[in-house]
Amino acid sequence: MFKRGSDSVSTYREFSDLSAEPAVRGFLHEPSQPSGDALVLTHGAGANCQSKMLIALADAFAGAGYLVMRCDLPFRQLRPHGPPFPAMAARDRAGLCRAVEMLRARISGQVFLGGHSYGGRQGSMLAAEQPQLVAGLLLLSYPLHPPSKPAELRTGHFPQLSTPSLFVHGGRDPFGSHDEMKTALALIPAQKMLLEIEGAGHELLGKKANEDLPVKIAQAFQEFFTRSVRAL
């Protein structure tokens, strides 16, 4: 099902596919000058795909030529509020996998996967499980550990992550400092980069946030993956 929307800078359409489980629901941003590549974007534990950050990023990447699908994870489709259940994490990853496959059928180039916080964590776990699924990852505010619990690291899958990954992290993020992130990223055998956003919190785009940040992230993403391809 498609339904055109107008609350975003880029042209987008509401999208849903209920032909299999888990369902895929979200919004498809179509670039005016397609590059042939695509990006799936998803949200964190307390949000949905209508978050300010995801809409702004979808605009920025569509402006750079990407077909972008920002989608709700399966747990959010079942209930509009509340955090995900740990027992449903595999289902959330299955939903992301279906979204990737749907975009792959629509383009001639590469598919990338991105997510904020919990969504990025599930995306990185999916890539560790299926190394050939996507060409790269965009991980926004990766939740390295719960706030004030630095020993409870969420890095168990990092040594198996062979997908090039760009991490975007705020300097005031309570889920991990820049130094903690740098130490954690050393566990990843794939090419990786940490884009540090000074003064930003976990949401990255706050009330006083730099409105140019989504475009800067898109530019850094393109530059990183261009270098990654050359390094192969």
Side-chain angles (χ1 to χ4, degrees):
M1 178 188 73
F2 288 94
K3 180 180 178 182
R4 186 170 299 279
S6 60
D7 63 346
S8 171
V9 174
S10 64
T11 299
Y12 74 88
R13 296 178 179 182
E14 186 174 353
F15 176 86
S16 65
D17 187 303
L18 312 179
S19 63
E21 282 292 325
V24 176
R25 293 177 179 170
F27 298 86
L28 200 64
H29 290 243
E30 299 174 288
S32 58
Q33 297 181 328
S35 67
D37 293 335
L39 172 67
V40 173
L41 275 176
T42 196
H43 55 87
N48 58 32
C49 72
Q50 297 274 41
S51 73
K52 176 182 177 181
M53 176 51 119
L54 288 199
I55 293 173
L57 275 173
D59 280 345
F61 275 88
Y66 293 78
L67 175 65
V68 183
M69 179 186 290
R70 52 182 173 92
C71 58
D72 280 337
L73 289 164
F75 87 88
R76 183 56 72 226
Q77 295 178 35
L78 293 177
R79 55 196 185 115
H81 305 289
F85 296 116
M88 288 189 62
R91 179 180 169 86
D92 289 335
R93 293 194 292 276
L96 287 177
C97 188
R98 284 203 68 218
V100 167
E101 291 169 349
M102 287 180 178
L103 283 195
R104 181 174 289 114
R106 295 172 176 271
I107 63 161
S108 59
Q110 298 175 307
V111 181
F112 298 87
L113 177 57
H116 180 256
S117 194
Y118 172 82
R121 182 188 178 198
Q122 296 308 316
S124 67
M125 293 175 70
L126 177 61
E129 295 167 354
Q130 301 186 42
Q132 305 304 315
L133 183 65
V134 293
L137 296 170
L138 173 61
L139 304 175
L140 308 158
S141 301
Y142 186 86
L144 186 61
H145 59 69
S148 303
K149 297 181 180 180
E152 297 181 17
L153 293 174
R154 294 158 172 164
T155 57
H157 63 290
F158 277 17
Q160 287 74 50
L161 189 57
S162 59
T163 304
S165 304
L166 173 62
F167 289 76
V168 182
H169 210 75
R172 297 175 52 250
D173 193 331
F175 288 80
S177 67
H178 285 168
D179 286 343
E180 288 174 321
M181 289 297 299
K182 290 175 182 177
T183 298
L185 265 58
L187 300 171
I188 299 175
Q191 296 186 62
K192 62 272 185 181
M193 173 181 167
L194 176 62
L195 179 60
E196 302 175 356
I197 310 299
E198 292 300 333
H202 193 63
E203 296 305 317
L204 291 177
L205 276 185
K207 294 181 179 179
K208 298 181 180 180
N210 183 351
E211 295 299 329
D212 295 332
L213 180 58
V215 172
K216 291 180 179 178
I217 292 174
Q219 291 174 340
F221 182 87
Q222 290 179 293
E223 292 171 2
F224 169 69
F225 282 102
T226 298
R227 292 197 303 270
S228 295
V229 170
R230 290 173 180 170
L232 294 178

